[in-house]
Amino acid sequence: MPYYAQTKQRLTQLPAPPAAKTPLRAGWAKANITPPYTTPTGGYGERRGRHWRIVSDSIWARAIVFDNGSTRAVLIGLDLLITPPTVVEQLKKRLPELGLRWENVYSGTIHSHNSVGGWAPGVVGQLIAGDYDERIVTRITEGILTAIRNAQANMAPAQVGYGETDASDHIYNRIGFSGPTGPLDGAVRLIKLQKQDGTSALICSFAGHATLFEGDNGDYLSRDYPGSLVDRLERKTATFALFLGGPMGSTGPQARGKTDFQEIRNYAGDLALRIERIAPTIQPRPDSTLAILTLPLSLREPHPRVLGDCRIRPWFFHNLYGDYPSDLKALRIGSTVLLGTPCDFSGELAVELQPAARQRGLNLMITSFNGGYIGYVTPDRYYNRITYETRDMNWFGPYNGDYFKEMMTGLLAKIEAYQPKSVQAVSN
């Protein structure tokens, strides 16, 4: 399998992150990227690119910039379905304007299915996000750059802490009807950043799919429950909040309410209550540990199944969708590691990866939608099940489940080996 050998070699050759020179500094900001005109809705299914008519929520690009004197890393959170590959292509050209490269960036999204579309060319892109509009790609790119620029302008020493709370009762396994399944990652994971002036940022990740707006309710532009959650956190818990969709592959939300709006309010409210109970117990501490790694992924040729075992030829798939590079990302902040994937990553696989992090004394936050998109990555044992997640959206299988787990475990080992100087030593 050449693709496996290529990625394995790249993993081996990743350089060790440099030692810290200063205590950790951080800055955060957001930019409104809501278009002043209606756009297609990015969200698959019944929406099929139908234009939204009413702005229920404004759409934002959020950024947190970290620096320890030798490494600068940027965490981007977008109120979109995925991080569009077309936007990534533009960022790779534009980031040097800010003294950055794509290798400095870790990206994720809220994965709302009622957000802005129009950012993906091709037939498959049209089915996912409606008719392509270059203006939207430019608007998202400019918003990201503005958020980064403003975050860089307010950087200051920051302490870091970690916490989590269980919300397993808020999710279910969408492929459970097809046979036995394993446990899902139902934890709400939190990173808290605290500046000396008392301002704070909260990075929040959870695996519940942001699909409380039904597919036939595409009239509204909305951030779904993550937007409602972030707004409440910024009112009551932190100065700034950023939500990242976690291992959402095959993970659906358990909703309560008679309307979509009630479901969103109840779901976000329940999660917020749990976060509000745990957040005061998180004690941020000085920590200069900062590292970011980018592992370019080679993949087997795509061969999506359409009817039974009939498959689309790779060249035809690339003509329909495009051929975009994909990466795995690792971002270490203190004793917490974020692993970013270019897919809807399985909540079951995330559970299987947690022991590797615990053995290393690390907290692990796995996120999806990091800039390339290759469909769903689910456990290999489900490959022949006839479900949307394991058949329709499994574009590059089989074997991707174990392949991703091995490479992500390798990234954990690489980033664990990074041992920074202590903050005290750096400060003297």
Side-chain angles (χ1 to χ4, degrees), residues 72-142:
R72 179 158 288 201
V74 180
L75 175 61
I76 295 172
L78 300 175
D79 291 340
L80 299 174
L81 181 73
I82 64 173
T83 303
T86 48
V87 171
V88 173
E89 290 182 337
Q90 290 300 311
L91 286 175
K92 288 178 178 178
K93 298 174 184 177
R94 300 284 307 279
L95 283 168
E97 298 172 15
L98 305 181
L100 298 165
R101 301 167 59 236
W102 177 244
E103 288 72 19
N104 297 103
V105 173
Y106 185 107
S107 182
T109 73
I110 63 171
H111 199 54
S112 168
H113 288 52
N114 270 64
S115 186
V116 171
W119 31 255
V123 175
V124 175
Q126 186 177 40
L127 292 174
I128 294 174
D131 292 336
Y132 180 67
D133 186 341
E134 182 69 28
R135 294 178 302 167
I136 297 171
V137 175
T138 300
R139 186 173 188 85
I140 295 169
T141 303
E142 292 291 349

Side-chain angles (χ1 to χ4, degrees), residues 173 175 181-185 249-250 346-352 379 381-382:
N173 199 322
I175 65 174
T181 56
L184 295 170
D185 182 357
S250 71
S346 166
E348 292 187 54
L349 294 176
V351 170
E352 296 171 12
R381 58 186 176 274
Y382 302 152

Side-chain angles (χ1 to χ4, degrees), residues 283-299:
Q283 299 298 319
R285 293 180 173 83
D287 197 328
S288 61
T289 308
L290 179 66
I292 186 165
L293 296 174
T294 299
L295 177 62
L297 276 174
S298 293
L299 298 166

Side-chain angles (χ1 to χ4, degrees), residues 26-101:
W28 45 80
K30 62 184 179 181
N32 194 326
I33 57 174
T34 311
Y37 46 85
T38 184
T39 73
T41 301
Y44 307 101
E46 299 172 56
R47 299 165 185 84
R48 297 191 182 279
R50 187 173 71 194
H51 279 233
W52 51 267
R53 300 185 302 108
I54 302 165
V55 177
S56 176
D57 309 302
S58 292
I59 306 301
W60 300 83
R62 297 167 186 262
I64 303 178
V65 180
F66 302 91
D67 196 296
N68 68 354
S70 58
T71 296
R72 179 158 288 201
V74 180
L75 175 61
I76 295 172
L78 300 175
D79 291 340
L80 299 174
L81 181 73
I82 64 173
T83 303
T86 48
V87 171
V88 173
E89 290 182 337
Q90 290 300 311
L91 286 175
K92 288 178 178 178
K93 298 174 184 177
R94 300 284 307 279
L95 283 168
E97 298 172 15
L98 305 181
L100 298 165
R101 301 167 59 236

Side-chain angles (χ1 to χ4, degrees), residues 259-275:
T259 68
D260 293 351
F261 289 99
Q262 287 181 355
E263 288 181 352
I264 288 170
R265 184 170 61 251
N266 292 339
Y267 199 87
D270 287 347
L271 293 177
L273 284 173
R274 300 183 191 203
I275 293 170

